[in-house]
Amino acid sequence: MSTPYHAAVRAIRMLPLAAALAASATSIQAAQPVQPPAQVRTQAPGFYRMMLGAFEVTALSDGTVAVPLDQLLRNPPEDTASRLAQAHLGTRAETSINAFLIHTGSHLALVDAGAGDLFGKDGGRLLDSIRAAGYRPEDIDTVLLTHIHADHSGGLTRQGKRMFPAADIRVDQRDVDFWLNPANAGKVAKEERHAFADAEAALRPYIEAGRLKPFDGETELLPGIRAVAGAGHTPGHSLYLVESEGKKLVLWGDLIHAQDVQFAKPGVTIRFDVDAAAAARQRLARMDEAARQGWLVAAAHIGFPGIGHVRRSGDGYLWQPVRYSLEGLRR
């Protein structure tokens, strides 16, 4: 039987629950939506590492640069636009600037040095990429230039200071003779003549330090690393053949600039070629070589990390990039 007493007890027992429900309701009303922090909008450190036999190879990003490929390639603009569209790209395509660090066990060699400050905020990230990869610019004992163009040699020097103070700079003598002689300016397009001043600014500190050491043609520069003649894009354009324990990697430099056009049409050249016909012959020969031999290839302007294989496809070729791998770092 319920009495006023029993009703009062029940009311007292319900008080904590009522208070909790009231507090919860108040909390819900007072809660504000959780706001995430601001978007970061910075890219991951630009390096990718793999083993080539006993050699450690690290691809390094110096950044990217957007270039109007429909204007630069010697190809019908509508065909260029169509091929780029198939790759979900516009005609002003973002192009990688890659360099490659090779640790042989006894040498730490850098192939190409990026653009430094010459390409603005989106270039010039090579030093950060080297550090992110676990090395210091001061650790590098040799810089192998595929050729002397601003996006390959500009990063050697900043504000007159050598960025690789312990390194010898190796580059084909023909490129040194061409780009360090202003009398040759008439041999390139007017809009490319700044390259002579760029070359002087990048290399002069190394010349004064006795660190510029040109080579002549095909020769072994370090154990397991050999220069291969690739003239055309520039008079002394060089490829580098890296070999360890039977594994081979060919560093192409500027053998190719627009992967979505020039693999399918190797005969297409670019305005920056000093000798366009020779550059086209080199590209066709080296693509055929890579496809036949099954060698790994690395290039400065193929999408980062710029390492992969080439295979025949009809009248042209296809690019097969390396896959991200952890197993590949084990021997």
Side-chain angles (χ1 to χ4, degrees), residues 4-275:
Y5 170 79
H6 292 128
V9 170
R10 284 197 300 271
I12 292 171
R13 287 175 177 172
M14 291 293 292
L15 281 176
L17 176 59
L21 290 172
S24 176
T26 303
S27 175
I28 290 172
Q29 292 174 356
Q32 298 296 320
V34 175
Q35 293 295 320
Q39 294 176 343
V40 178
R41 296 200 183 188
T42 57
Q43 193 52 275
F47 73 93
Y48 177 78
R49 183 165 288 137
M50 59 175 284
M51 296 300 295
L52 185 81
F55 290 2
E56 180 193 77
V57 177
T58 306
L60 301 163
S61 175
D62 188 49
T64 64
V65 59
V67 294
L69 290 177
D70 59 332
Q71 300 174 37
L72 296 177
L73 293 177
R74 296 185 175 102
N75 189 48
E78 62 276 11
D79 182 69
T80 295
S82 174
R83 293 178 185 276
L84 292 171
Q86 291 175 36
H88 304 283
L89 297 171
T91 53
R92 189 170 181 81
E94 191 175 9
T95 301
S96 291
I97 306 173
N98 306 325
F100 302 91
L101 192 63
I102 303 167
H103 196 317
T104 70
S106 56
H107 291 278
L108 189 61
L110 177 67
V111 178
D112 287 332
D117 297 327
L118 297 178
F119 283 1
K121 66 180 180 65
D122 291 324
R125 300 187 180 189
L126 181 62
L127 300 182
D128 292 337
S129 294
I130 291 171
R131 295 186 183 101
Y135 295 104
R136 302 176 305 156
E138 296 85 356
D139 297 330
I140 294 167
D141 58 73
T142 307
V143 177
L144 305 171
L145 296 180
T146 57
H147 61 296
I148 301 174
H149 267 168
D151 52 330
H152 297 259
S153 56
L156 289 172
T157 303
R158 291 191 176 187
Q159 298 179 344
K161 182 180 178 181
R162 288 178 290 143
M163 294 294 97
F164 307 99
D168 290 334
I169 311 303
R170 310 303 307 273
V171 61
D172 190 285
Q173 183 70 56
R174 294 164 186 79
D175 250 35
V176 173
D177 293 342
F178 188 82
W179 295 110
L180 291 183
N181 183 356
N184 291 319
K187 299 178 182 179
V188 301
K190 184 177 180 180
E191 57 269 23
E192 307 305 323
R193 292 176 186 171
H194 64 85
F196 293 89
D198 293 342
E200 174 69 22
L203 291 169
R204 180 54 56 187
Y206 293 90
I207 295 172
E208 293 174 352
R211 290 289 193 172
L212 178 62
K213 299 181 179 180
F215 58 83
D216 186 11
E218 301 197 2
T219 183
E220 186 175 63
L221 300 173
L222 296 171
I225 303 179
R226 182 175 184 82
V228 178
H233 179 59
T234 66
H237 185 264
S238 300
L239 285 62
Y240 294 103
L241 175 59
V242 183
E243 183 173 4
S244 174
E245 298 181 345
K247 306 294 185 181
K248 293 184 180 181
L249 167 70
V250 185
L251 297 148
W252 273 2
D254 271 9
L255 199 72
I256 186 168
H257 291 82
Q259 67 190 82
D260 301 297
V261 177
Q262 290 174 300
F263 273 112
K265 299 179 70 175
V268 171
T269 60
I270 196 166
R271 191 181 71 193
F272 306 132
D273 292 331
V274 175
D275 185 338

